[in-house]
Structures are given as C-alpha cells and as structure tokens.
Amino acid sequence: MADTATPNVIRRADYAPPAFLIDTVALEFDLIPERTVVRNTMRVRRNPDASHASNFELMGEQLEFVSATIDGAPFAQAHAHEHGLTLDNVPDSFELTLTSICNPAENTTLSGLYVSGGNFFTQCEAEGFRRITYFLDRPDVMATFTVTLRASKADYPVLLSNGNLLEEGDLPDGRHFARWEDPFRKPSYLFALVAGKLVALEERVKSGSGKEKLLQVWVEPHDLDKTRHAMDSLINSIRWDESRFGLELDLDRFMIVAVSDFNMGAMENKGLNIFNTKYVLANPETATDTDFANIEAVVGHEYFHNWTGNRVTCRDWFQLSLKEGLTVFRDQEFSADMAGGATDEAARATKRIEDVRVLRQMQFAEDAGPMAHPVRPESYVEINNFYTMTVYEKGSEVVRMYQTLFGRDGFRKGMDLYFKRHDGQAVTCDDFRHALADANGRDLAQFERWYSQAGTPRVSVRTQYDAAQQRYSVTLTQGYGDTAPAARETQKGPLLIPFAIGLIGKDGHDLPLQLEGETRASEATTRVLEFTQTEQTFTFVNVAQEPLPSLLRNFSAPVIVEYDYSADQLAFLLAHDSDPFNRWEAGQRLATRELLTLAGRAATGVPLQLDDSVVAAFARVLTDETLSPAFRELALMLPSEAYLAEQMAESNPAAVHAARQFVRKRLANALRADWLAVYEKHRTPGAYEATPEASGHRALKNLALSYLAELDDPAGAVRLASAQYDAANNMTDRSAALSALLNASAANGGSVEAQQALDDFYRRFEKEPLVIDKWFALQATQRGSAQRPVIEIVRKLMAHPAFNLKNPNRARSLIFSFCAANPAQFHAEDGSGYAFWAEQVIALDAINPQVAARLARSLELWRRFTPTLRDGMRAALEKVASQVKSRDVREIVEKALA
Ligand code: TRP
Ligand code: ZN
C-alpha cells in the first residue's frame, strides 16, 4: 500500500522531542456518569532540548472544552478542535488550568474514562488519557500526579487512584472525596482511577528491606471468594522480583482491581493495576487449571512492569517491546521458576513448550502476512494495532537470547546496568541493548537486526561425519525464504543467532563436545553456537561415533530449523534427547510431517492411512512412566489445525481437519486400552489441588478422555464423560467432560447427554459471567457436521439473552472463538463464516474499534488459502473496507487487501 493512500502514518524516523514539558499535574474529578467534569492544573515549561514553538498543542478527543486559565487569569487564545486544544503564544513557563467534560456512561470504546457495572474505570494506554483531559499524551512527557476524586458516597463508596492516599472525607449533598498522590514521575498512559462499590481482599507483607506494604485485590462483593489466587500470585511476584532481579516494590500500597468490561488482559497503571476479571477471579469450581496459570502469569506480568515499563518507560510507542518483550520474558521466567525452580528442567520445559507453541502458531503466522512488522516497528496508523504477538512474544524471545548468550548472571548484570543508567527515564530499545552489551563487554551491533527485521528466519542445517578423522561438521545457513512483502522490505543481512546444539550417541546419551581449536571437551553437553554469517560451519573434533544432532535446544532462537531427519531418527530423539524441549519437538515434527502428508491426500480425495511406526512412537510416550504427566500430555497433543494449515502451500482447513481427525481416531482406536488405563490412573480424587503435579494429572487424564471420545464406538467414553461431568469438583474436569460430550456426539448431530450437560452447565453457573463465557466458547469451537454446521449454532447463540456484543469477553467467547479457533467450520466452502465475520466486524466497529480490529485480523492470511476460500475472504474484506469507520479496522483491512 502506498503510504499516500493512508493519511496519518506515524513514522519512527519522525520522532522529535516535545516542545514543552509538564512537571506536575493536579487533576480534580467530579464523577457523574453522563457528565464528568475534569479540572487539570499543570506546571508547564519549554523543553530546553527541543526547537522553539510559539503555540502549545495539547491532544484531546471526545472532550467538551470549558475553560483555560494561565497563571490564574482566563486565557482567551485557546482553540479546541477535533484532535485537541491549541494555545497561542504561551509564556516559557506557566501554570495552566484546563476544564473539560466527558461522558463515561456512553463510552463503549473502553478507552479513557468509562462506566462498567455501574462503577468508573480508566484505561489510558496507549492514547486514552487524551479522552479524559487535554494533555501531551506521549510517553516521553513524565510528571508527578495528584488526583482528587469527588462522587456520590452512596453510589461510589470506594475512590482509588495511583500512589498513596493523602486524605479523604465527606462533602455536602451526600458526596465525598479522596485525594491521592503518586510520588513517582510517570507518563500519562500509566494514570488510573477507579470509583464504585467494591470490596478488597487485603494482606500486609514486608518487602526485602523490611518495609510494610499494603496489598489489595478489589472486586465486586460477590467475587470476594475468588481473589485468593490472585493475591498469592501477587505475593509470589513481589518475592520473585526481589530474589531474581533485586527489584523491590517502591510504593507503600499496591492495588489490583478487576473489571468485567476490558479490552485486553490487564494494565500496569502505577500502584493501581486494572485487570480483566478473567485474569483475577478464580476458585476451583469456576476456573480451570489453565485459568489459574494464566492468572499467575498476568498478575506477575503487570507487577513486573513496575520496574520494566514504569520506573523505566518507553520514549515513544515504537519502543513498545522495550517494556512488553522484556516483561513477557520476565513473566515467563517467573512461571517457570514457580513450576520447576531454577533446576527442575523437565518442569521448566512444560512452560517453555507452551510458550513456543503460542509463538509458532500465532507470531509466525503474523510474520507471514500483511501485518508483518519488526519487533520495533517503523510505522503505524493506529498504535493499538501494534500490541501484537511480534512485539510481545517475539520481543520476549529477543530478550531471552541475551540470557542465552550471557547466562543468567550476565543477563542480571545487564539488567542492573540498565536500571543504574535509566531509572526514571523514557528510553529506547537501543538503550537496553547497549546496557546488556556494556555490562558483558560485548559489541552487539549485529544483534540490532533482531529489532529491525521482520519475518521468521530459517536456518537450514547440513551435517557431515568423517569417521577416519572423527570430525563432525555442522553447516548452518540462514535466510528468510519466501516471506511476505511487508517483511521482505525490512531484511538487510544475517542475524546473530544463538544456536544451541547437542550431539547424541547410539546409546541415546549426549556425547562430549569439543570444537575445533579447543584443547578439551566442555563439561556441558549443550553448546550455544554463535551463528553470525549467512553460512557458517562449526566442526566438532574427537567425535568417536556418528552422532544424531539435537538442534536449537530449548528453542534458543525464534527461527525455523530445516533438517532432514528420518522418521526413525525423530522417534529416537523423542525417546532419548536429554533436552526435554527437543524431545517434544521431535514428536511434533514427526506428527506434523505425517499430518501434512495426510492433509495433501485429503485435499485430493486419496484414501488416508497412517504408518504403524507413528502409532508406535505415540504409544511409547503414552505408556512411558518416567515422563511427567504434564509432558506426556503436551507430547501427545497433535499440532493445532491452524498451525498445520499455515504449513501447507495452500491452506486447506477442511483437509487439515480431515487429516487430524483421521489420526486422532486412529490413535484412539489403536491405543484404546492404553488411553483407558491412563484415564483411570491419573484421576485426582479428593479435594482439588492447584499444584503443577495435580494439574498435570488432570491434563493427561482429560486428554485421554478426549481421545476416547473419538472412538468408533464412543458409548463407553460418553458414560465416562457423563460421570466425570456429574462428579467433578473443579472446572478443569467439568469443562473437559462437557467438551468430550459435545465432540463425541458431533458426528451424529448431537446427543441427549451432551444437551443435558450443556443445559446443566448454564443453570449451574448462570451468575458467573466468566463461566458463561466458557459455555459460549465450548459451543463455538465444537466440531460440526454436515447436518449441524456450527455457524447455525453460533447464530442462534447471538440471540441468547446472555449474549452482549458490548462486553469484550462475551464477544470473544462466541464470535472470536468461532472465527479464530474453529477453522474447519469458519472456513466453510459456502462462505457463511465470512459473511458472519463481516457483519460482526462492522457491528463492533461502531462500538469498540480496538476489539473490532482484533476480529478483523482473522482474515489477514486470506491470500494463502485455496482459490475458492480466497475469493470468499476477499469479498468479505472488501465489504468491510467499504463500510468501516474506525482508523483501527481500516488499517487492518487496507493492509490485508493491499
Ligand atoms: N500494557 C498492557 C500489558 O501488556 C496491555 C495494554 C495495552 C492494554 N493497551 C491496552 C490493556 C489497552 C487494556 C487496554 O500489560
Ligand atoms: Zn505488558
């Protein structure tokens, strides 16, 4: 797309420091749902490091301007316009008071100040603060804030904002007030307020240096019984950041607030984190093991932002990965440490596998399409569209590579230097890289390319064994293959790739590693090769037998490895590799290859068959008691349909579904007795325990149930699932049973048992919105059949009284689940899925552009599909392009069609 076709492209190269700085902000709110008055008093001065501007330009959106005063006197040269406020000919340093009005009750965008469930909440990242008051709403303008909130005491008994509570008291007419002060300078995107009828679970803990801290988790009164896990996760996060990074909580008080209308997961506002209820509320009856793990990860993530994001923030939004990539890395390490400590590699590996699976399925796909962008993008139209898998997940892999190169201690030294240099500043990704480089005495100039090049690198591997010389050479070649045009433009040269490798002998043990030029073999049997050129050969010496290479151990870089393993070699790695990640990886490669072959056959109508050796490899994992249940579950789960379709020359969701179902059925029938034995063995009777061990048992048992539900004769499995549904004392088992019932009956157009369970589930959890979300999602993602296509079920559910398009969680549970997590049904040949998608994108566009733009992305890979589907998708995209209003959705569909 020519940039001229898209007005308002923001470019990284155009960064200029702000003409003015704001040192202090005093905000006063008179909170009334339809008409909230905001008075904003700022100390403003010219920025000595910027070029002169006579006018002061403030950003503002959807505000009603009331008045401006400068140094106490009315200021007449203030002009409000669509994008903000211009003050002509201002002095060099002055106190500015602006008064404006906004309408939180009508704010369905959930950006700025809004009402949810009768309470007030804010969301300011990235550019929501300008919807509350006129401001220099950019992250390199940092100020200290004091906030006074006034509201009806009966309707809004709790009044919260960032930092410490200074004062509170009653006012005339049944109103009251609270005054808060945040002692730390912060950019406006970290501002928050909350007002309403809320209650808190409280704890007092001592931080590392002995100071007492008040911790609170604020929720609606009926949710107080679901706050314990979030509180425990917060306490663990505080401890972890102290011990792993020496970083202490810097406020006397730290608050988490849950809200059910929220665009994303959670927000790290200073001292007042605001969370989607989905990432706070949990008890065993309502939340699955996955929910518990996600809550721990997100609570950790937002807490860790206090240092990586808040104390050191971003200079501009192009640097978003500076805080997000780093903080995702930190939350991943936190979860791994919680599960396995620093040394239990197998337990750590399950977390690693889950993270890599997400990266490969979602980020690799993003990098292959029209939204491909570098970890540090060069331009954007709407910044909200760049809170992406690339910025977050690939960004986290980039941070992880520093640790892989320098070790944990070297990484810690780099972090220490980063805070020493930049505490209190708004900085860039380059500043972070330089801190890591300098602390470790390294030049990381080449490493910069990880921030500026889009697309997924491919590393192809050739090996050669010279028996006479006992030499084994590994030749690595890097490139990007045939990537998307959006990515190709950014590609300049080879990357510094930390490539972890091990060599495995015939007995399955690791061989000693000695590179040419070294005097002896190292103790470690994994070596991180620094691969920096387009092609490079590494030669190992004193290799007594021809080894099998274990490549990219622990997924040491976000790349695709190409190596011609035979099926037998993969089965051998699956059985023996000392690197647990690569054991899993071998199984995935084996399965992926088999499934893609089968999908190719299914696409052309050739009958399907599966080699017995593949069944045997799976049987060995299933029955290998030396492996943890959690690992076995991951190894036995086939690659997702979305991932497989992505790997095809032409994505064919129906063929992928047929192939994957064929393999699942074959594995179910061939290993029926083993699945049943595993099911029985891994039951977890007694009280629910949230430990990683117990959740591993449940995961493996429920995977067995899902395979048993695939049997040609599923009657026994249906009985098991019904019994499990009725007896369940936790949501993991109950929802897994419901899902098995739905899928076991799908081929026959449904069953009495499935319908009864579905009805029971609804009645039982009618008052728990997060569980009702699951009820919608399970139906939207269920298997369909010719006589009962899922689109019909989804359309019916759209009219259900509990459905509400304005609530993002509910919209995601039904619409996104169908459009993004049920590919075989969504991509129906008749185009019914695409028509539905277009309707919903257009409807959401008018309500909530951020959410609409996320949904819009589910068609972005349209060019990679089979011709019929491609045409249907293009038509739907064009329809949306012709009707859409928001900049958010427009950017997505225009890039897709360009
Ligand atoms: N910074 C938040 C995080 O990653 C996410 C975030 C960005 C967000 N923009 C948002 C959350 C808008 C809600 C709404 O932790
Ligand atoms: Zn974040």
Side-chain angles (χ1 to χ4, degrees):
M1 173 180 52
D3 287 337
T4 47
T6 316
N8 306 322
V9 177
I10 318 285
R11 287 169 205 289
R12 184 171 75 90
D14 293 343
Y15 173 82
F20 293 85
L21 297 174
I22 301 173
D23 293 314
T24 66
V25 183
L27 295 171
E28 292 172 64
F29 288 85
D30 283 294
L31 293 165
I32 293 168
E34 294 76 24
R35 200 179 151 80
T36 288
V37 181
V38 182
R39 221 167 93 105
N40 169 6
T41 302
M42 297 164 268
R43 281 271 11 138
V44 186
R45 65 186 157 98
R46 278 181 200 283
N47 182 358
D49 299 325
S51 46
H52 182 91
S54 39
N55 297 346
F56 184 27
E57 298 282 358
L58 295 127
M59 296 95 155
E61 275 173 22
Q62 306 280 300
L63 298 175
E64 184 187 319
F65 175 67
V66 177
S67 68
T69 67
I70 282 191
D71 296 327
F75 187 74
Q77 285 86 47
H79 318 283
H81 50 85
E82 205 193 332
H83 303 290
L85 185 73
T86 304
L87 305 178
D88 295 341
N89 300 314
V90 295
D92 290 345
S93 165
F94 54 99
E95 188 185 82
L96 172 65
T97 298
L98 299 173
T99 304
S100 60
I101 292 167
C102 58
N103 185 346
E106 295 295 309
N107 182 0
T108 58
T109 67
L110 311 184
S111 166
L113 179 61
Y114 63 94
V115 175
S116 166
N119 300 325
F120 287 95
F121 299 89
T122 55
Q123 171 55 42
C124 293
E125 189 176 6
E127 299 180 336
F129 192 70
R130 64 189 65 182
R131 301 168 58 88
I132 297 174
T133 182
Y134 296 101
F135 204 70
L136 285 182
D137 189 16
R138 44 186 288 171
D140 55 354
V141 173
M142 297 168 78
T144 55
F145 285 64
T146 44
V147 179
T148 305
L149 304 174
R150 290 187 285 266
S152 151
K153 190 171 183 176
D155 296 337
Y156 310 102
V158 174
L159 303 173
L160 308 175
S161 191
N162 314 87
N164 301 315
L165 180 62
L166 291 183
E167 192 188 356
E168 57 188 335
D170 289 339
L171 296 169
D173 303 327
R175 294 177 69 78
H176 72 147
F177 79 98
R179 212 147 61 81
W180 293 80
E181 178 186 60
D182 180 356
F184 295 94
R185 282 180 354 117
K186 66 167 176 285
S188 51
Y189 83 86
L190 291 173
F191 165 81
L193 77 76
V194 171
K197 292 193 182 105
L198 299 168
V199 295
L201 174 68
E202 287 193 359
E203 287 270 332
R204 284 187 165 75
V205 298
K206 281 212 165 64
S207 69
S209 66
K211 284 210 208 82
E212 191 173 276
K213 312 282 178 182
L214 172 62
L215 310 179
Q216 297 175 317
V217 179
W218 290 95
V219 296
E220 290 186 17
H222 58 269
D223 287 326
L224 199 55
D225 61 338
K226 304 179 206 77
T227 52
R228 189 65 244 172
H229 179 63
M231 177 62 85
D232 289 341
S233 300
L234 176 59
I235 294 170
N236 289 335
S237 303
I238 293 172
R239 299 280 169 252
W240 183 85
D241 219 7
E242 288 175 349
S243 66
R244 178 91 182 249
F245 287 106
L247 299 171
E248 221 179 304
L249 175 56
D250 54 10
L251 290 164
D252 302 337
R253 173 179 183 135
F254 192 89
M255 299 171 277
I256 287 176
V257 186
V259 57
S260 57
D261 292 292
F262 203 68
N263 283 345
M264 305 239 257
M267 181 61 213
E268 69 265 24
N269 318 301
K270 185 80 187 187
L272 181 59
N273 289 357
I274 299 182
F275 274 59
N276 188 322
T277 45
K278 182 174 164 60
Y279 296 108
V280 176
L281 304 179
N283 66 29
E285 288 75 40
T286 61
T288 62
D289 292 338
T290 305
D291 294 325
F292 275 83
N294 289 342
I295 289 168
E296 178 180 82
V298 178
V299 168
H301 180 96
E302 305 312 329
Y303 177 76
F304 303 142
H305 266 315
N306 191 50
W307 280 93
T308 51
N310 301 4
R311 287 290 286 256
V312 182
T313 195
C314 301
R315 187 192 70 171
D316 56 74
W317 291 121
F318 297 102
Q319 318 300 327
L320 184 57
S321 199
L322 173 77
K323 74 177 177 79
E324 295 304 346
L326 176 53
T327 304
V328 170
F329 169 73
R330 276 152 54 70
D331 85 52
Q332 290 179 350
E333 287 291 278
F334 166 61
S335 295
D337 284 348
M338 293 304 290
T343 51
D344 184 346
E345 287 306 324
R348 295 183 68 84
T350 57
K351 169 67 178 158
R352 184 75 185 126
I353 290 165
E354 286 161 3
D355 293 337
V356 172
R357 205 168 48 186
V358 171
L359 179 84
R360 279 211 284 234
Q361 185 178 316
M362 316 280 291
Q363 195 280 325
F364 283 19
E366 178 169 277
D367 240 347
M371 272 292 287
H373 56 277
V375 164
R376 184 191 58 206
E378 291 299 332
S379 69
Y380 59 78
V381 173
E382 170 51 62
I383 185 58
N384 284 315
N385 287 333
F386 283 78
Y387 287 75
T388 58
M389 295 305 285
T390 299
V391 166
Y392 277 65
E393 310 302 319
K394 186 176 182 179
S396 161
E397 294 299 321
V398 171
V399 172
R400 182 176 297 278
M401 285 190 284
Y402 293 108
Q403 180 171 280
T404 303
L405 288 167
F406 303 140
R408 275 195 191 200
D409 294 343
F411 185 76
R412 170 67 192 270
K413 272 194 262 164
M415 288 285 280
D416 290 350
L417 184 60
Y418 174 63
F419 291 117
K420 188 165 165 228
R421 284 182 180 170
H422 301 299
D423 188 12
Q425 299 175 5
V427 304
T428 65
C429 297
D430 289 332
D431 293 318
F432 183 75
R433 180 168 49 87
H434 288 139
L436 267 290
D438 295 349
N440 289 281
R442 284 284 303 261
D443 175 358
L444 287 178
Q446 186 182 9
F447 198 80
E448 194 270 343
R449 289 191 182 135
W450 280 111
Y451 292 91
S452 57
Q453 298 191 165
T456 307
R458 288 173 179 267
V459 176
S460 48
V461 184
R462 280 176 288 131
T463 56
Q464 203 184 10
Y465 182 60
D466 180 340
Q469 303 290 321
Q470 305 218 324
R471 289 159 67 88
Y472 186 68
S473 64
V474 178
T475 300
L476 305 178
T477 311
Q478 58 171 302
Y480 285 93
D482 183 20
T483 51
R488 204 175 310 133
E489 290 168 14
T490 66
Q491 294 160 0
K492 306 270 157 25
L495 297 153
L496 163 53
I497 297 175
F499 194 91
I501 187 173
L503 303 180
I504 303 174
K506 305 262 180 290
D507 63 354
H509 288 109
D510 281 338
L511 300 176
L513 299 178
Q514 181 180 1
L515 280 167
E516 188 167 37
E518 293 174 348
T519 50
R520 56 190 168 80
S522 58
E523 218 150 278
T525 54
T526 297
R527 186 66 74 92
V528 179
L529 304 174
E530 291 195 14
F531 172 34
T532 57
Q533 287 147 41
T534 303
E535 178 166 310
Q536 211 167 336
T537 298
F538 299 87
T539 303
F540 292 93
V541 296
N542 293 327
V543 184
Q545 48 167 302
E546 173 155 21
L548 185 59
S550 170
L551 304 168
L552 203 76
R553 279 185 162 173
N554 203 34
F555 198 70
S556 61
V559 303
I560 295 167
V561 174
E562 294 167 340
Y563 183 69
D564 238 337
Y565 286 114
S566 70
D568 286 347
Q569 289 175 327
L570 289 173
F572 186 82
L573 289 172
L574 177 58
H576 298 292
D577 201 321
S578 68
D579 182 70
F581 178 87
N582 266 6
R583 273 188 91 160
W584 172 81
E585 178 75 341
Q588 293 296 296
R589 273 179 189 265
L590 196 61
T592 301
R593 200 149 70 186
E594 207 59 37
L595 285 160
L596 288 176
T597 307
L598 291 170
R601 292 215 188 110
T604 49
V606 181
L608 306 186
Q609 48 194 329
L610 183 65
D611 205 87
D612 285 339
S613 67
V614 178
V615 179
F618 273 80
R620 272 197 299 279
V621 175
L622 178 57
T623 55
D624 184 346
E625 304 271 324
T626 66
L627 295 168
S628 75
F631 180 86
R632 279 194 273 166
E633 191 257 348
L634 288 167
L636 293 164
M637 195 188 318
L638 299 176
S640 74
E641 291 182 15
Y643 176 75
L644 292 166
E646 242 286 285
Q647 311 304 307
M648 298 179 81
E650 258 181 6
S651 297
N652 185 334
V656 163
H657 183 73
R660 194 169 181 277
Q661 276 309 107
F662 172 79
V663 173
R664 280 178 59 83
K665 280 190 175 300
R666 179 72 205 286
L667 291 174
N669 288 304
L671 307 176
R672 176 185 194 133
D674 294 318
W675 289 118
L676 204 55
V678 162
Y679 181 87
E680 292 301 339
K681 178 150 194 211
H682 293 278
R683 286 175 187 267
T684 51
Y688 173 85
E689 273 185 275
T691 59
E693 295 73 42
S695 103
H697 288 298
R698 280 187 290 271
L700 183 57
K701 178 200 64 180
N702 287 326
L703 181 82
L705 182 62
S706 86
Y707 271 99
L708 290 166
E710 306 283 7
L711 287 171
D712 293 334
D713 168 20
V718 168
R719 272 195 301 278
L720 273 186
S722 287
Q724 174 170 325
Y725 180 90
D726 291 334
N729 68 353
N730 66 82
M731 181 51 69
T732 305
D733 284 343
R734 202 185 299 277
S735 62
L738 177 54
S739 168
L741 288 171
L742 285 172
N743 288 330
S745 70
N748 309 322
S751 69
V752 183
E753 290 90 345
Q755 195 54 51
Q756 275 174 351
L758 215 42
D759 294 344
D760 175 86
F761 193 91
Y762 187 84
R763 275 196 305 275
R764 205 184 271 263
F765 298 109
E766 203 168 359
K767 297 207 162 57
E768 297 288 354
L770 294 171
V771 184
I772 298 304
D773 288 339
K774 296 182 195 301
W775 184 80
F776 279 105
L778 277 167
Q779 296 181 77
T781 54
Q782 72 187 305
R783 208 158 297 146
S785 63
Q787 64 283 33
R788 221 165 74 116
V790 176
I791 181 71
E792 286 173 15
I793 299 168
V794 169
R795 283 202 180 270
K796 220 188 259 157
L797 287 171
M798 293 289 295
H800 192 281
F803 185 75
N804 171 12
L805 194 59
K806 290 189 177 154
N807 175 255
N809 285 356
R810 194 53 53 85
R812 284 187 277 257
S813 75
L814 183 57
I815 302 170
F816 288 52
S817 294
F818 177 68
C819 296
N822 197 343
Q825 291 293 308
F826 176 62
H827 294 283
E829 288 264 337
D830 62 5
S832 53
Y834 307 149
F836 174 74
W837 169 87
E839 279 168 41
Q840 301 314 319
V841 172
I842 291 164
L844 277 167
D845 185 57
I847 297 171
N848 187 327
Q850 281 184 44
V851 173
R854 297 271 158 181
L855 180 63
R857 294 198 58 187
S858 41
L859 286 201
E860 74 187 20
L861 293 178
W862 66 279
R863 284 176 203 279
R864 304 172 60 94
F865 283 72
T866 55
T868 332
L869 299 183
R870 207 187 298 158
D871 293 345
M873 291 160 104
R874 194 223 310 264
L877 279 161
E878 280 167 350
K879 177 172 179 194
V880 169
S882 72
Q883 293 186 37
V884 81
K885 301 262 179 336
S886 73
R887 184 168 54 181
D888 309 55
V889 178
R890 183 163 300 285
E891 178 175 28
I892 302 297
V893 295
E894 284 185 358
K895 282 182 174 166
L897 287 168

